[in-house]
Amino acid sequence: MNIFRALHGAFVALLLLTLTACASDDRLVIESRNGSHPFTVEVVDTPETRAKGLMYREALAPDAGMLFDFKETREVSFWMSNTLIPLDMVFITAEGLVANVHANARPLDLTSIPSDGPVMFVLEIAGGRAKELGIAAGDRVVHDRIKNGATAG
């Protein structure tokens, strides 16, 4: 009976670890000067998924977003083609620091929105949320894909 309990316990622990590993990619936290701000994110990390992004979406919850993982540090540029809702774009370094924020990108606008230097990630959130939450350059972003060797400044 003790062996059964031990095996059962090991199985449950393994199952919980697996579920945690699978679920962690959708949790992101921005640590700003006025607190921690959690988001549930969709991660896009292929050319096809990054190209589509949040196009054609009619709404985005205030605590939701999309994390673009470019898998290398480089300058990036976005536009709002076929994007129906205003978005804030949070440009993030490989170390997890917010490099810059572009607030309230206009729906359907084809104007280029560049990073202010090389980044590895971009978080898109509902337009106006960055200002509302006090998210700014120098804040730290915590996510399983981001190496957090940097500190908020």
Side-chain angles (χ1 to χ4, degrees):
M1 197 54 106
N2 286 337
I3 293 174
F4 176 75
R5 285 186 191 173
L7 288 173
H8 179 70
F11 175 76
V12 170
L14 181 61
L15 181 62
L16 288 174
L17 282 173
T18 303
L19 291 174
T20 301
C22 293
S24 61
D25 215 33
D26 70 345
R27 302 301 300 160
L28 178 144
V29 175
I30 299 178
E31 297 174 353
S32 73
R33 288 163 188 78
N34 63 352
S36 294
H37 309 290
F39 290 89
T40 300
V41 295
E42 295 173 58
V43 176
V44 290
D45 59 3
T46 66
E48 297 78 20
T49 58
R50 287 192 302 258
K52 183 176 179 188
L54 289 170
M55 288 180 176
Y56 309 108
R57 306 272 180 106
E58 295 182 0
L60 185 63
D63 64 344
M66 181 170 280
L67 181 66
F68 292 74
D69 180 352
F70 289 93
K71 298 185 179 185
E72 65 181 4
T73 298
R74 62 184 179 145
E75 293 194 21
V76 299
S77 185
F78 280 66
W79 65 350
M80 296 289 286
S81 176
N82 300 313
T83 306
L84 308 175
I85 53 177
L87 297 172
D88 288 349
M89 296 176 190
V90 181
F91 295 89
I92 307 163
T93 68
E95 297 78 25
L97 289 182
V98 173
N100 64 293
V101 177
H102 180 90
N104 280 309
R106 293 185 313 257
L108 306 174
D109 188 356
L110 300 182
T111 304
S112 178
I113 302 168
S115 57
D116 287 346
V119 297
M120 189 178 288
F121 306 94
V122 178
L123 174 65
E124 290 184 339
I125 57 177
R129 286 295 284 162
K131 181 177 181 180
E132 181 181 324
L133 298 174
I135 297 168
D139 290 349
R140 185 207 298 248
V141 180
V142 179
H143 185 270
D144 281 355
R145 291 182 179 232
I146 300 174
K147 294 178 247 155
N148 287 109
T151 57

